[in-house]
Amino acid sequence: MIRLLDSTPTIRLGGMTGMSGAEGVTEQVIELRLPSRLGYERIAMDTAASLARRMGFADERIDALRTAIGEAVTNAIEHGNQADEAMKVVVLLTVRPNELVISVSDQGRKALEVEQTKLRPHIADVFQRADKGGWGIWLMRELMDEVEFTLAPGGGNLVRMVVHLERMPISDQ
Amino acid sequence: MIRLLDSTPTIRLGGMTGMSGAEGVTEQVIELRLPSRLGYERIAMDTAASLARRMGFADERIDALRTAIGEAVTNAIEHGNQADEAMKVVVLLTVRPNELVISVSDQGRKALEVEQTKLRPHIADVFQRADKGGWGIWLMRELMDEVEFTLAPGGGNLVRMVVHLERMPISDQ
Amino acid sequence: MLEDELNVNIRHRDGVAVIDLIGDVTTFAEEKINGAYRQVTAQGHRYILLNFRQNDYINSAGIAILIGIVTEVNQNGQKLAVSGLSPHFQKIFRMVGLAQYAEIYQTEEEALSAFRRLSGVE
Amino acid sequence: MLEDELNVNIRHRDGVAVIDLIGDVTTFAEEKINGAYRQVTAQGHRYILLNFRQNDYINSAGIAILIGIVTEVNQNGQKLAVSGLSPHFQKIFRMVGLAQYAEIYQTEEEALSAFRRLSGVE
Ligand SMILES: Nc1ncnc2c1ncn2[C@@H]1O[C@H](COP(=O)(O)OP(=O)(O)O)[C@@H](O)[C@H]1O
Ligand SMILES: Nc1ncnc2c1ncn2[C@@H]1O[C@H](COP(=O)(O)OP(=O)(O)O)[C@@H](O)[C@H]1O
């Protein structure tokens, strides 16, 4: 796997020894900490897009990633951190040979209920409601390969999303 | 100053209360932690460029910033952290009403000598040398408004660079 | 950069009210979009085109604003179309179901000729 | 994306060896650039054009490689020109002093016609 990363021209970025596990799985982690102010989600979107581009993701996957990470960070700012600018949103971008893992965590001023993570809004119903929102989490689920909600180590809300690189792995084992 | 930030359409990003000092100076800090592997400086360049663009910097200032931060992070990776991928390069981007402050720190596996921070290479001399390098720090100094070398809190090397936003400050004091 | 703000511009072409959305369609855009819609509605327009600019940022808060517009368009018996969306946002509009209530066209011209056919038939 | 790698391509136009540098000019580019230079030198070329692609990434390690090329160009009595640099890198080439040893042209065509005038005079 190390060889795959290093011989692939698209991944000048790939990990070598970074956080090697027992199985020789390699990954590299980028951490981004943002103030809880709307607008800063754009920085997370651009950083993730820059990374995904260099990993070799197709443009449409990058667009999907931009939208998903934008929604996750916006929720962390608005809901999880209640737009208290002193609170940080932490974005971890983990580069693996065949996937990019994105985790977005907040400081949990407001807890995310499990039911809220499973909503599938229908536009015809939404017309009847005063609040036309509620599309963010559903969009993340639709656009990413894996989406999972857990508690962050510090007690906040954490969304973990995975996008797979659609490239055939050439295993050297 | 708060008013300036909030009334300026180009700074949807500007700080409000983030790290307010006694004088009411406001700033917002973005932190980026990168693995010490060449190539990852591109992520720092793209993140800083994304931020600078939203702050309203002119394209040529953004190009200068990209080059300067790229050199600083490359040095931190190659020299300060000796390309040990487990070591982190920490980039702090501080958004102020009229400037962007960039600090890049490494874990100091190799100390940066004061004389090295003051070199002004001349190409005619460089032709005679086997090593044609040594342009990085000089480029940072040429391209940024302020450049300063100190020790990082953790003992590593720290470069602090400032770029001024060329927009007339409208003080409300 | 001004791209971070939404600028709204209203034009009238062939009996269609064209609302250009230049910039990002997020929560900050709400007043401007609703204001533009109310203005063309007060002018009695039945055909409305929301003309986006490729590659601008639209998020779920922006989608909620657009669903609000569709709600009123339906109540007021108007016809809404959209143009200028990137393929990514065309896909998202389809996923959300907005495409059932507002025809999606690549360009303003395509949307206008579709409105012409429609007004000829009606 | 392949843009992260440097691709080098050698063409011959009007007696000039044109070396296209497609991609990033950083420490990883050293072998390819030096290899291309040695190849055209072995072929006896006197006029060499390094043709960059606007907006690619060039860093100080790339500049060091180019200074290495200039050193050899001077020793071998060749003439070097560059084209395709963005305004930002034109500025940096001037700051570094590279512009004194390699004429900077906006486009390949401008560089080639300058070489034509030069070879006519010599
Ligand atoms: N990070 C979070 N912390 C706390 N609550 C959250 C978080 N993310 C989402 N929620 C809750 O889940 C709901 C649904 O989120 P979402 O689908 O993104 O739609 P919207 O943000 O438009 O309401 C939110 O209204 C909020 O109550
Ligand atoms: N972050 C750093 N940590 C330790 N040493 C450094 C650091 N940055 C620069 N240096 C030293 O300063 C010298 C000059 O740096 P620079 O001007 O960037 O040129 P180059 O990296 O091409 O040698 C380097 O060769 C290195 O010895």
Side-chain angles (χ1 to χ4, degrees), chain A residues 71-72 75-76 78-80 106 110-112 116 119 131 133-138 140 157, chain C residues 60:
Chain A
E71 295 299 326
N75 279 347
E78 284 193 312
H79 303 304
D106 57 49
K110 177 171 174 292
L112 170 62
Q116 289 173 318
L119 298 176
D131 177 1
W135 300 90
I137 290 177
W138 173 76
M140 293 178 221
N157 306 299
Chain C
S60 68

Side-chain angles (χ1 to χ4, degrees), chain B residues 41-42 63 67 71 127 138, chain D residues 24 57 59-60 71 88 95:
Chain B
E41 78 275 11
R42 301 295 302 264
D63 284 336
T67 289
E71 295 299 327
F127 289 142
W138 173 76
Chain D
D24 295 335
Y57 171 40
N59 69 7
S60 68
T71 312
H88 174 62
M95 284 162 57

Side-chain angles (χ1 to χ4, degrees), chain A residues 57-107:
Chain A
F57 279 96
D59 286 351
E60 59 179 85
R61 298 291 279 165
I62 297 175
D63 283 336
L65 177 66
R66 293 182 70 90
T67 289
I69 197 169
E71 295 299 326
V73 174
T74 301
N75 279 347
I77 293 172
E78 284 193 312
H79 303 304
N81 290 346
Q82 298 281 300
D84 176 342
E85 295 180 18
M87 292 200 164
K88 290 286 171 185
V89 176
V90 180
V91 180
L92 293 184
L93 301 165
T94 303
V95 180
R96 293 191 179 154
N98 299 309
E99 61 187 21
L100 173 61
V101 183
I102 304 106
S103 99
V104 176
S105 56
D106 57 49
Q107 293 182 238

Side-chain angles (χ1 to χ4, degrees), chain B residues 114-135:
Chain B
V114 182
E115 315 85 69
Q116 289 173 317
T117 68
K118 295 180 176 163
L119 299 176
R120 195 287 174 235
H122 292 282
I123 192 164
D125 306 335
V126 175
F127 289 142
Q128 317 299 323
R129 299 203 307 241
D131 177 2
K132 313 285 187 215
W135 300 91

Side-chain angles (χ1 to χ4, degrees), chain D residues 44-94:
Chain D
H45 276 285
R46 280 199 59 205
Y47 300 112
I48 301 171
L49 174 63
L50 292 180
N51 184 37
F52 292 81
R53 192 177 57 171
Q54 285 264 1
N55 302 323
D56 278 332
Y57 171 40
I58 307 176
N59 69 7
S60 68
I63 288 171
I65 297 168
L66 300 174
I67 293 176
I69 299 287
V70 168
T71 312
E72 295 192 51
V73 159
N74 291 346
Q75 285 165 357
N76 296 332
Q78 295 157 312
K79 293 267 173 220
L80 184 70
V82 299
S83 61
L85 289 171
S86 69
H88 174 62
F89 285 109
Q90 288 180 33
K91 182 180 145 194
I92 286 186
F93 275 42
R94 289 206 179 84

Side-chain angles (χ1 to χ4, degrees), chain A residues 17-27:
Chain A
T17 57
M19 307 188 88
S20 318
E23 277 75 41
V25 176
T26 58
E27 55 183 44

